[in-house]
Amino acid sequence: MITVDTYVNERECEFKGEKYIVRDNGAVMRLSKKNYRKRKLDNKWTFGVGDKTTGYLKFSSIPIHRIIATAFLGSPKDSNYVVDHINTNRQDNTPGNLRWVTRFENVFLNPITCRNLEMLTGLTIDEIIQNPKILENYKVSKNIAWMRKVNSEESRNCYQNLMNWALNSKIGPSKKRGIIGEWVYQTRYLPPKEDTMEHRKVDKVYPCCPSDNEERSLENYQKKLQYGTVFLETSITKYITVESTIFNRKLIIRTRDVNDQALKPWFVSCVTLENGRFQHELVKSCFVEEGSKEFFDIMQDKPWESNHSFDYMC
């Protein structure tokens, strides 16, 4: 059971003229104002009260996710930005599940939301984007029974299950599994490990790897890894180079899967040279590009100035 005292990080922020202390489990505490009478909700930790209509958790009419996003992600660029719950669970206010997006991005750049809209309208997402007003003719489902406060592990399971469902029409909850219900939090319905690039046994080819007839050095290898060149090719897909660097006798490469529907399209790998032979190693596969950038910097011992990405929590 999640409690307000189950947390790792705690931050202080100011939101709409009030000061709050915020925890990474989604709990907030409003501080009482100096020289003012203490209010009923001051100096008390809370997850907020659920809105039965929207599913959001609120504190004194304020959506708590906006307070938490401000504390952990910083203030939005302008008033056009809203908070997106990445796994679509509106009661999961852990920082890794939140991001500032525009209203358009909030609707169309989340694959889970897009799949829901396609099922609701019977149209493709491209058709909906061309005429967004068509959504005014449909009553969006308010089914919030499955939403609840969760810990970081449940949050990740929820996201991975829903992403797997969103990107594969053959996978989905059923009546036997409780429609959505507890299905989204379970690990047993995630794609089997042998179906992921980290574990699947496939033929791998590194087209830019120097041959025996070439200069066998990390520097020569890096010269061949220009932006857009294929770093790794398998019988399933290709991974193209985004950027690379050499640090501490390691060639570090950030790549992207050419398959736009890949669940984890961003990769960070490293290459070492041992006894004249190149050794390739996958360091991290990521859901979002920001995650790959973060681990690319971590591999170089650089401090990460921004807030941690969703992939850092996984």
Short mmCIF file of all heavy atoms in Angstrom, two decimals, residues 27-69:
data_model
loop_
_atom_site.label_atom_id
_atom_site.label_comp_id
_atom_site.label_asym_id
_atom_site.label_seq_id
_atom_site.Cartn_x
_atom_site.Cartn_y
_atom_site.Cartn_z
N ALA A 27 2.78 12.86 -3.16
CA ALA A 27 2.19 13.54 -2.00
C ALA A 27 2.67 14.99 -1.94
O ALA A 27 3.80 15.30 -2.33
CB ALA A 27 2.56 12.81 -0.71
N VAL A 28 1.80 15.87 -1.43
CA VAL A 28 2.17 17.28 -1.29
C VAL A 28 1.77 17.78 0.10
O VAL A 28 0.87 17.22 0.74
CB VAL A 28 1.48 18.17 -2.36
CG1 VAL A 28 1.80 17.69 -3.76
CG2 VAL A 28 -0.02 18.20 -2.14
N MET A 29 2.44 18.84 0.55
CA MET A 29 2.08 19.49 1.80
C MET A 29 2.16 21.00 1.58
O MET A 29 3.21 21.51 1.19
CB MET A 29 3.00 19.07 2.94
CG MET A 29 2.66 19.76 4.28
SD MET A 29 3.60 19.13 5.69
CE MET A 29 5.26 19.72 5.28
N ARG A 30 1.06 21.70 1.80
CA ARG A 30 1.07 23.15 1.69
C ARG A 30 1.56 23.75 3.00
O ARG A 30 1.09 23.38 4.08
CB ARG A 30 -0.34 23.66 1.37
CG ARG A 30 -0.40 25.17 1.13
CD ARG A 30 -1.80 25.62 0.79
NE ARG A 30 -2.71 25.44 1.93
CZ ARG A 30 -4.04 25.57 1.85
NH1 ARG A 30 -4.60 25.88 0.70
NH2 ARG A 30 -4.79 25.39 2.94
N LEU A 31 2.49 24.68 2.92
CA LEU A 31 3.04 25.32 4.10
C LEU A 31 2.17 26.50 4.52
O LEU A 31 1.65 27.23 3.66
CB LEU A 31 4.47 25.78 3.84
CG LEU A 31 5.47 24.70 3.41
CD1 LEU A 31 6.83 25.31 3.15
CD2 LEU A 31 5.57 23.60 4.46
N SER A 32 2.02 26.66 5.81
CA SER A 32 1.22 27.79 6.30
C SER A 32 1.98 29.09 6.05
O SER A 32 3.21 29.12 6.02
CB SER A 32 0.93 27.63 7.79
OG SER A 32 2.14 27.50 8.52
N LYS A 33 1.24 30.18 5.87
CA LYS A 33 1.84 31.48 5.60
C LYS A 33 2.25 32.16 6.89
O LYS A 33 1.52 32.11 7.89
CB LYS A 33 0.86 32.36 4.83
CG LYS A 33 0.58 31.88 3.41
CD LYS A 33 -0.32 32.86 2.68
CE LYS A 33 -0.52 32.46 1.22
NZ LYS A 33 -1.36 33.44 0.50
N LYS A 34 3.40 32.80 6.83
CA LYS A 34 3.91 33.51 8.00
C LYS A 34 2.99 34.68 8.33
O LYS A 34 2.54 35.41 7.46
CB LYS A 34 5.33 34.01 7.72
CG LYS A 34 6.04 34.59 8.93
CD LYS A 34 7.46 34.98 8.60
CE LYS A 34 8.18 35.53 9.80
NZ LYS A 34 9.59 35.94 9.47
N ASN A 35 2.71 34.83 9.61
CA ASN A 35 1.86 35.92 10.12
C ASN A 35 0.39 35.79 9.69
O ASN A 35 -0.36 36.76 9.75
CB ASN A 35 2.40 37.29 9.70
CG ASN A 35 3.80 37.55 10.23
OD1 ASN A 35 4.15 37.10 11.32
ND2 ASN A 35 4.60 38.26 9.45
N TYR A 36 0.01 34.59 9.22
CA TYR A 36 -1.39 34.33 8.88
C TYR A 36 -1.89 33.17 9.72
O TYR A 36 -1.13 32.30 10.16
CB TYR A 36 -1.54 33.96 7.39
CG TYR A 36 -1.51 35.16 6.45
CD1 TYR A 36 -0.29 35.74 6.07
CD2 TYR A 36 -2.69 35.70 5.94
CE1 TYR A 36 -0.24 36.82 5.21
CE2 TYR A 36 -2.65 36.78 5.08
CZ TYR A 36 -1.44 37.34 4.71
OH TYR A 36 -1.40 38.41 3.86
N ARG A 37 -3.18 33.14 9.93
CA ARG A 37 -3.78 32.04 10.69
C ARG A 37 -3.61 30.73 9.91
O ARG A 37 -3.79 30.69 8.69
CB ARG A 37 -5.26 32.31 10.92
CG ARG A 37 -5.97 31.17 11.67
CD ARG A 37 -7.44 31.47 11.86
NE ARG A 37 -7.63 32.65 12.70
CZ ARG A 37 -8.83 33.14 13.02
NH1 ARG A 37 -9.93 32.55 12.54
NH2 ARG A 37 -8.92 34.21 13.79
N LYS A 38 -3.25 29.68 10.63
CA LYS A 38 -3.08 28.38 10.01
C LYS A 38 -4.41 27.86 9.48
O LYS A 38 -5.41 27.86 10.18
CB LYS A 38 -2.50 27.39 11.02
CG LYS A 38 -2.25 26.00 10.44
CD LYS A 38 -1.68 25.07 11.51
CE LYS A 38 -1.50 23.67 10.97
NZ LYS A 38 -0.99 22.74 12.02
N ARG A 39 -4.41 27.41 8.21
CA ARG A 39 -5.62 26.88 7.59
C ARG A 39 -5.75 25.38 7.83
O ARG A 39 -4.78 24.71 8.19
CB ARG A 39 -5.59 27.19 6.09
CG ARG A 39 -5.67 28.67 5.77
CD ARG A 39 -5.18 28.97 4.36
NE ARG A 39 -3.75 28.74 4.23
CZ ARG A 39 -3.04 28.99 3.13
NH1 ARG A 39 -3.65 29.49 2.05
NH2 ARG A 39 -1.74 28.75 3.10
N LYS A 40 -6.92 24.86 7.61
CA LYS A 40 -7.23 23.47 7.93
C LYS A 40 -6.31 22.49 7.21
O LYS A 40 -5.91 21.47 7.76
CB LYS A 40 -8.69 23.17 7.58
CG LYS A 40 -9.13 21.77 7.92
CD LYS A 40 -10.60 21.56 7.58
CE LYS A 40 -11.05 20.14 7.92
NZ LYS A 40 -12.48 19.95 7.57
N LEU A 41 -5.94 22.79 5.95
CA LEU A 41 -5.14 21.85 5.16
C LEU A 41 -3.64 22.14 5.22
O LEU A 41 -2.85 21.42 4.59
CB LEU A 41 -5.60 21.89 3.70
CG LEU A 41 -7.05 21.47 3.44
CD1 LEU A 41 -7.38 21.60 1.95
CD2 LEU A 41 -7.30 20.04 3.92
N ASP A 42 -3.24 23.17 5.95
CA ASP A 42 -1.82 23.52 6.02
C ASP A 42 -1.02 22.47 6.78
O ASP A 42 -1.51 21.87 7.76
CB ASP A 42 -1.64 24.88 6.71
CG ASP A 42 -2.01 26.05 5.80
OD1 ASP A 42 -2.23 25.81 4.60
OD2 ASP A 42 -2.10 27.18 6.31
N ASN A 43 0.23 22.29 6.34
CA ASN A 43 1.22 21.45 7.05
C ASN A 43 0.77 20.01 7.24
O ASN A 43 1.14 19.36 8.21
CB ASN A 43 1.57 22.08 8.41
CG ASN A 43 2.05 23.51 8.29
OD1 ASN A 43 2.66 23.88 7.29
ND2 ASN A 43 1.74 24.33 9.28
N LYS A 44 -0.02 19.51 6.28
CA LYS A 44 -0.47 18.13 6.33
C LYS A 44 -0.18 17.45 4.99
O LYS A 44 -0.51 17.99 3.94
CB LYS A 44 -1.98 18.06 6.61
CG LYS A 44 -2.39 18.58 7.97
CD LYS A 44 -3.90 18.46 8.15
CE LYS A 44 -4.34 18.98 9.51
NZ LYS A 44 -5.82 18.90 9.67
N TRP A 45 0.43 16.28 5.07
CA TRP A 45 0.73 15.54 3.84
C TRP A 45 -0.55 14.91 3.28
O TRP A 45 -1.35 14.38 4.03
CB TRP A 45 1.76 14.46 4.09
CG TRP A 45 3.15 14.99 4.25
CD1 TRP A 45 3.86 15.13 5.40
CD2 TRP A 45 3.98 15.49 3.20
NE1 TRP A 45 5.09 15.68 5.16
CE2 TRP A 45 5.20 15.91 3.80
CE3 TRP A 45 3.83 15.62 1.82
CZ2 TRP A 45 6.24 16.45 3.07
CZ3 TRP A 45 4.88 16.16 1.09
CH2 TRP A 45 6.06 16.56 1.71
N THR A 46 -0.68 14.96 1.97
CA THR A 46 -1.87 14.39 1.34
C THR A 46 -1.60 14.02 -0.11
O THR A 46 -0.74 14.62 -0.77
CB THR A 46 -3.04 15.38 1.38
OG1 THR A 46 -4.19 14.78 0.74
CG2 THR A 46 -2.70 16.66 0.66
N PHE A 47 -2.30 13.00 -0.61
CA PHE A 47 -2.28 12.67 -2.03
C PHE A 47 -3.37 13.45 -2.76
O PHE A 47 -3.44 13.42 -3.99
CB PHE A 47 -2.52 11.17 -2.24
CG PHE A 47 -1.35 10.30 -1.88
CD1 PHE A 47 -1.46 9.35 -0.87
CD2 PHE A 47 -0.14 10.42 -2.54
CE1 PHE A 47 -0.39 8.54 -0.55
CE2 PHE A 47 0.94 9.61 -2.22
CZ PHE A 47 0.82 8.67 -1.21
N GLY A 48 -4.23 14.11 -2.01
CA GLY A 48 -5.32 14.85 -2.60
C GLY A 48 -6.61 14.03 -2.58
O GLY A 48 -6.65 12.89 -2.14
N VAL A 49 -7.66 14.64 -3.09
CA VAL A 49 -8.97 13.99 -3.14
C VAL A 49 -9.33 13.77 -4.60
O VAL A 49 -9.18 14.66 -5.44
CB VAL A 49 -10.03 14.88 -2.46
CG1 VAL A 49 -11.40 14.24 -2.58
CG2 VAL A 49 -9.66 15.12 -1.00
N GLY A 50 -9.81 12.57 -4.91
CA GLY A 50 -10.12 12.23 -6.29
C GLY A 50 -11.37 12.93 -6.80
O GLY A 50 -12.38 13.00 -6.09
N ASP A 51 -11.31 13.44 -8.01
CA ASP A 51 -12.46 14.02 -8.68
C ASP A 51 -13.16 12.89 -9.44
O ASP A 51 -12.59 12.31 -10.36
CB ASP A 51 -12.00 15.11 -9.65
CG ASP A 51 -13.16 15.86 -10.28
OD1 ASP A 51 -14.10 15.20 -10.76
OD2 ASP A 51 -13.12 17.11 -10.32
N LYS A 52 -14.39 12.58 -9.06
CA LYS A 52 -15.10 11.44 -9.64
C LYS A 52 -15.43 11.64 -11.12
O LYS A 52 -15.70 10.67 -11.84
CB LYS A 52 -16.38 11.18 -8.86
CG LYS A 52 -16.14 10.72 -7.42
CD LYS A 52 -17.44 10.43 -6.69
CE LYS A 52 -17.17 9.96 -5.27
NZ LYS A 52 -18.41 9.68 -4.52
N THR A 53 -15.40 12.87 -11.58
CA THR A 53 -15.71 13.15 -12.98
C THR A 53 -14.48 13.03 -13.87
O THR A 53 -14.52 12.40 -14.93
CB THR A 53 -16.30 14.56 -13.14
OG1 THR A 53 -17.48 14.66 -12.35
CG2 THR A 53 -16.65 14.83 -14.60
N THR A 54 -13.37 13.60 -13.43
CA THR A 54 -12.17 13.62 -14.26
C THR A 54 -11.14 12.56 -13.90
O THR A 54 -10.29 12.20 -14.72
CB THR A 54 -11.48 14.99 -14.18
OG1 THR A 54 -11.00 15.19 -12.83
CG2 THR A 54 -12.44 16.10 -14.55
N GLY A 55 -11.19 12.07 -12.66
CA GLY A 55 -10.19 11.10 -12.22
C GLY A 55 -8.93 11.73 -11.65
O GLY A 55 -8.07 11.04 -11.11
N TYR A 56 -8.80 13.05 -11.74
CA TYR A 56 -7.61 13.72 -11.21
C TYR A 56 -7.68 13.84 -9.69
O TYR A 56 -8.76 13.96 -9.12
CB TYR A 56 -7.47 15.13 -11.81
CG TYR A 56 -7.16 15.15 -13.29
CD1 TYR A 56 -8.03 15.76 -14.19
CD2 TYR A 56 -5.99 14.57 -13.78
CE1 TYR A 56 -7.74 15.79 -15.56
CE2 TYR A 56 -5.70 14.60 -15.13
CZ TYR A 56 -6.58 15.21 -16.00
OH TYR A 56 -6.29 15.23 -17.35
N LEU A 57 -6.50 13.83 -9.06
CA LEU A 57 -6.41 14.09 -7.63
C LEU A 57 -6.21 15.58 -7.43
O LEU A 57 -5.37 16.20 -8.08
CB LEU A 57 -5.24 13.31 -7.03
CG LEU A 57 -5.40 11.78 -7.03
CD1 LEU A 57 -4.09 11.12 -6.62
CD2 LEU A 57 -6.52 11.35 -6.10
N LYS A 58 -6.98 16.16 -6.51
CA LYS A 58 -6.93 17.60 -6.31
C LYS A 58 -6.64 17.96 -4.86
O LYS A 58 -6.98 17.21 -3.94
CB LYS A 58 -8.25 18.24 -6.74
CG LYS A 58 -8.51 18.16 -8.24
CD LYS A 58 -9.77 18.92 -8.64
CE LYS A 58 -9.96 18.93 -10.15
NZ LYS A 58 -11.17 19.70 -10.54
N PHE A 59 -6.03 19.12 -4.69
CA PHE A 59 -5.80 19.68 -3.37
C PHE A 59 -6.45 21.06 -3.35
O PHE A 59 -6.01 21.97 -4.06
CB PHE A 59 -4.30 19.80 -3.07
CG PHE A 59 -3.99 20.49 -1.77
CD1 PHE A 59 -4.02 19.78 -0.58
CD2 PHE A 59 -3.70 21.85 -1.74
CE1 PHE A 59 -3.73 20.42 0.63
CE2 PHE A 59 -3.42 22.49 -0.55
CZ PHE A 59 -3.45 21.77 0.65
N SER A 60 -7.50 21.21 -2.60
CA SER A 60 -8.22 22.48 -2.50
C SER A 60 -8.53 23.03 -3.89
O SER A 60 -8.20 24.17 -4.21
CB SER A 60 -7.37 23.49 -1.71
OG SER A 60 -8.10 24.69 -1.49
N SER A 61 -9.11 22.17 -4.72
CA SER A 61 -9.55 22.49 -6.10
C SER A 61 -8.41 22.58 -7.11
O SER A 61 -8.66 22.76 -8.30
CB SER A 61 -10.37 23.78 -6.15
OG SER A 61 -9.55 24.93 -6.09
N ILE A 62 -7.15 22.45 -6.67
CA ILE A 62 -6.01 22.51 -7.59
C ILE A 62 -5.56 21.10 -7.95
O ILE A 62 -5.32 20.29 -7.05
CB ILE A 62 -4.83 23.27 -6.96
CG1 ILE A 62 -5.23 24.71 -6.62
CG2 ILE A 62 -3.62 23.26 -7.88
CD1 ILE A 62 -4.15 25.48 -5.88
N PRO A 63 -5.46 20.76 -9.25
CA PRO A 63 -4.94 19.45 -9.64
C PRO A 63 -3.52 19.26 -9.11
O PRO A 63 -2.63 20.07 -9.41
CB PRO A 63 -4.96 19.50 -11.17
CG PRO A 63 -5.99 20.53 -11.50
CD PRO A 63 -5.87 21.57 -10.42
N ILE A 64 -3.32 18.24 -8.32
CA ILE A 64 -2.03 18.03 -7.67
C ILE A 64 -0.91 17.80 -8.69
O ILE A 64 0.24 18.17 -8.45
CB ILE A 64 -2.12 16.85 -6.68
CG1 ILE A 64 -2.72 17.36 -5.36
CG2 ILE A 64 -0.78 16.21 -6.43
CD1 ILE A 64 -2.76 16.36 -4.25
N HIS A 65 -1.24 17.22 -9.84
CA HIS A 65 -0.18 16.93 -10.80
C HIS A 65 0.51 18.20 -11.29
O HIS A 65 1.69 18.16 -11.65
CB HIS A 65 -0.72 16.12 -11.99
CG HIS A 65 -1.87 16.75 -12.70
ND1 HIS A 65 -3.18 16.40 -12.44
CD2 HIS A 65 -1.92 17.71 -13.66
CE1 HIS A 65 -3.99 17.10 -13.23
NE2 HIS A 65 -3.25 17.91 -13.98
N ARG A 66 -0.17 19.33 -11.28
CA ARG A 66 0.47 20.57 -11.71
C ARG A 66 1.49 21.05 -10.66
O ARG A 66 2.53 21.61 -11.01
CB ARG A 66 -0.58 21.65 -11.97
CG ARG A 66 -1.49 21.34 -13.15
CD ARG A 66 -2.37 22.52 -13.50
NE ARG A 66 -1.61 23.65 -14.03
CZ ARG A 66 -1.28 23.81 -15.30
NH1 ARG A 66 -1.64 22.90 -16.19
NH2 ARG A 66 -0.60 24.87 -15.71
N ILE A 67 1.18 20.82 -9.39
CA ILE A 67 2.12 21.20 -8.33
C ILE A 67 3.37 20.32 -8.40
O ILE A 67 4.50 20.80 -8.33
CB ILE A 67 1.45 21.06 -6.95
CG1 ILE A 67 0.19 21.93 -6.86
CG2 ILE A 67 2.43 21.42 -5.84
CD1 ILE A 67 -0.62 21.73 -5.60
N ILE A 68 3.15 19.01 -8.58
CA ILE A 68 4.27 18.07 -8.62
C ILE A 68 5.13 18.31 -9.86
O ILE A 68 6.37 18.28 -9.79
CB ILE A 68 3.75 16.63 -8.58
CG1 ILE A 68 3.04 16.37 -7.24
CG2 ILE A 68 4.88 15.63 -8.80
CD1 ILE A 68 2.33 15.05 -7.15
N ALA A 69 4.50 18.56 -10.99
CA ALA A 69 5.26 18.82 -12.22
C ALA A 69 6.11 20.09 -12.07
O ALA A 69 7.26 20.14 -12.51
CB ALA A 69 4.31 18.97 -13.40
#
